Amino acid sequence: MTRAPLLAIALLIAALPCAAAEKGDAAAGKTKVYTCAGCHGIPGWKNPYPNYHVPKIGGQNHDYLVTALTAYKTGERLHPTMRAQGESLSEQDIRDIATYLSGLTP
């Protein structure tokens, strides 16, 4: 084999733990979602004002959950309740919660 394919394989193998590290700990996430269930865990729940349907988050895409929670944390997404929730989360908390929720069956 030439050096280029060997180097490519070595880089790929080295990158695998990094990709896995981006995911969180589902067991830790399960304990951290207790406040989420109050709204997102109730089938058919609607927010009284302004009136809108609260989305189900179980089974949602991991990367989407990380992006959304991070946006609430930074204020990019505007929702007072979710902003308050997001501000209290660390990056690890967000990854743990996203890993747990994305592993649920919708």
Side-chain angles (χ1 to χ4, degrees):
M1 284 183 112
T2 64
R3 287 187 187 183
L6 288 175
L7 181 60
I9 291 170
L11 289 173
L12 178 61
I13 291 170
L16 288 176
C18 295
E22 291 179 14
K23 298 278 185 175
D25 178 355
K30 184 176 182 178
T31 64
K32 295 174 183 179
V33 298
Y34 65 94
T35 61
C36 306
C39 295
H40 294 283
I42 302 170
W45 178 256
K46 291 186 188 236
N47 192 34
Y49 180 81
N51 192 358
Y52 62 87
H53 172 73
V54 177
K56 291 182 184 179
I57 54 177
Q60 184 61 268
N61 177 277
H62 177 273
D63 294 336
Y64 171 79
L65 290 168
V66 169
T67 300
L69 286 171
T70 301
Y72 286 123
K73 179 180 178 74
T74 63
E76 285 180 60
R77 279 190 166 193
L78 304 175
H79 186 282
T81 303
M82 287 302 302
R83 174 73 195 264
Q85 293 294 319
E87 286 179 334
S88 71
L89 300 173
S90 69
E91 289 181 22
Q92 184 63 51
D93 292 338
I94 289 172
R95 286 192 305 271
D96 293 344
I97 290 169
T99 300
Y100 173 71
L101 290 172
S102 64
L104 297 176
T105 303

